[in-house]
């Protein structure tokens, strides 16, 4: 028999298998496009950190004295929840305290400008948040303390006092607002008024770190 002279045998099962593969591929493609099936070889999903978890991290870092890490955590939280006034306020508070650790006046001013931006953002996103207005008092008081121009310094003091009054209008028992207002008054050498304010703050929250800090400042200003 000549080589290659015979007829090739038909194999219907191969045809059926090929048709099944083609049909399955078309169906799978449509399911992927419809979002009902995930494509192969996608990277494994990883858990996303929430704004609340960043806030908790920021509080922990602040308590440990790691202010830069606390700032970074709050910045991440504010990035995820940009309309949360309290996140911006707490960020501004830590930025203000961190400014005291800066080795040069320029670096301190830069940190306070960052705190100012955060504090202004806090009241912009929620004008009825008493914490935001209270912290804004702290920020502008410290800005006044490093300002050399008399007119600007007085303007900052005015903004600080106005912010404290707004916070207390929203929440009369806001111990932070009372304490920060006391600090503003003492920085303007209005010692008797400042002492009255810090006593009110102590009556409302004697365990507050901020209230105790300002209390020490008031006592020092009175020679105690």
């Amino acid at each position: 028999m000549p080589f290659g002279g015979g007829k090739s045998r038909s194999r219907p099962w191969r045809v059926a298998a090929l048709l099944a593969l083609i049909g399955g591929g078309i169906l799978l493609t449509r399911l992927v496009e419809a979002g009902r099936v995930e494509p192969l070889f996608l990277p494994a999903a990883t858990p996303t950190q929430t704004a609340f978890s960043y806030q908790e991290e920021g509080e922990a870092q602040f308590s440990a004295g790691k202010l830069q890490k606390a700032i970074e955590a709050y910045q991440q939280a504010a990035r995820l929840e940009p309309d949360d006034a309290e996140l911006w306020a707490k960020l501004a508070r830590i930025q203000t305290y961190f400014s005291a650790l800066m080795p040069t006046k320029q670096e301190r001013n830069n940190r306070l400008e960052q705190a100012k931006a955060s504090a202004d953002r806090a009241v912009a996103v929620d004008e009825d948040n008493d914490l935001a207005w209270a912290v804004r008092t702290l920020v502008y008081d410290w800005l006044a303390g490093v300002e050399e121009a008399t007119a600007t310094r007085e303007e900052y003091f005015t903004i600080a006092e106005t912010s404290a009054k707004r916070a207390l209008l929203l929440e009369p028992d806001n111990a932070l607002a009372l304490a920060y207002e006391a600090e503003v008054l003492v920085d303007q050498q209005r010692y008797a008024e400042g002492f009255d304010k810090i006593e009110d703050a102590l009556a409302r929250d004697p365990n507050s770190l901020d209230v105790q800090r300002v209390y020490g400042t008031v006592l020092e200003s009175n020679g105690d």
Side-chain angles (χ1 to χ4, degrees), residues 33-105:
E33 291 175 349
R36 296 175 62 185
V37 175
E38 290 188 358
L40 297 175
F41 311 117
L42 284 178
T46 55
T48 302
Q49 196 166 347
T50 64
F52 180 73
S53 66
Y54 277 120
Q55 180 180 351
E56 286 190 320
E57 179 185 339
E59 286 296 320
Q61 297 289 4
F62 179 76
S63 297
K66 300 176 181 179
L67 302 192
Q68 179 59 48
K69 289 186 178 297
I71 288 170
E72 291 170 1
Y74 269 106
Q75 286 174 331
Q76 290 287 356
R79 180 181 61 82
L80 293 173
E81 296 288 347
D83 293 329
D84 190 324
E86 291 201 2
L87 289 177
W88 288 108
K90 291 176 180 179
L91 172 60
R93 169 176 170 262
I94 298 174
Q95 288 172 322
T96 303
Y97 285 148
F98 193 45
S99 70
L101 304 178
M102 295 296 100
T104 67
K105 186 175 186 295

Side-chain angles (χ1 to χ4, degrees), residues 20-43:
L21 286 172
I22 294 170
I26 294 172
L27 177 61
L28 181 60
T29 301
R30 290 182 178 177
L31 288 173
V32 169
E33 291 175 349
R36 296 175 62 185
V37 175
E38 290 188 358
L40 297 175
F41 311 117
L42 284 178

Side-chain angles (χ1 to χ4, degrees), residues 1-169:
M1 179 182 292
F3 182 75
K7 293 183 179 179
S8 62
R9 297 180 181 178
S10 125
R11 296 184 178 177
W13 61 271
R14 284 189 176 181
V15 176
L18 288 172
L19 290 174
L21 286 172
I22 294 170
I26 294 172
L27 177 61
L28 181 60
T29 301
R30 290 182 178 177
L31 288 173
V32 169
E33 291 175 349
R36 296 175 62 185
V37 175
E38 290 188 358
L40 297 175
F41 311 117
L42 284 178
T46 55
T48 302
Q49 196 166 347
T50 64
F52 180 73
S53 66
Y54 277 120
Q55 180 180 351
E56 286 190 320
E57 179 185 339
E59 286 296 320
Q61 297 289 4
F62 179 76
S63 297
K66 300 176 181 179
L67 302 192
Q68 179 59 48
K69 289 186 178 297
I71 288 170
E72 291 170 1
Y74 269 106
Q75 286 174 331
Q76 290 287 356
R79 180 181 61 82
L80 293 173
E81 296 288 347
D83 293 329
D84 190 324
E86 291 201 2
L87 289 177
W88 288 108
K90 291 176 180 179
L91 172 60
R93 169 176 170 262
I94 298 174
Q95 288 172 322
T96 303
Y97 285 148
F98 193 45
S99 70
L101 304 178
M102 295 296 100
T104 67
K105 186 175 186 295
Q106 184 59 53
E107 288 176 292
R108 185 182 184 189
N109 290 348
N110 291 342
R111 291 291 179 176
L112 286 173
E113 285 298 324
Q114 292 171 8
K116 176 176 175 289
S118 298
D120 288 343
R121 178 69 178 270
V123 298
V125 299
D126 187 356
E127 294 182 352
D128 295 325
N129 189 291
D130 58 294
L131 175 64
W133 288 103
V135 172
R136 192 168 184 256
T137 304
L138 169 71
V139 174
Y140 274 87
D141 178 54
W142 282 43
L143 278 166
V146 299
E147 180 57 51
E148 295 179 355
T150 302
T152 305
R153 183 168 62 251
E154 292 304 317
E155 178 187 355
Y156 285 159
F157 276 137
T158 299
I159 294 173
E161 280 196 82
T162 302
S163 297
K165 293 184 187 308
R166 178 64 182 272
L168 291 168
L169 181 64

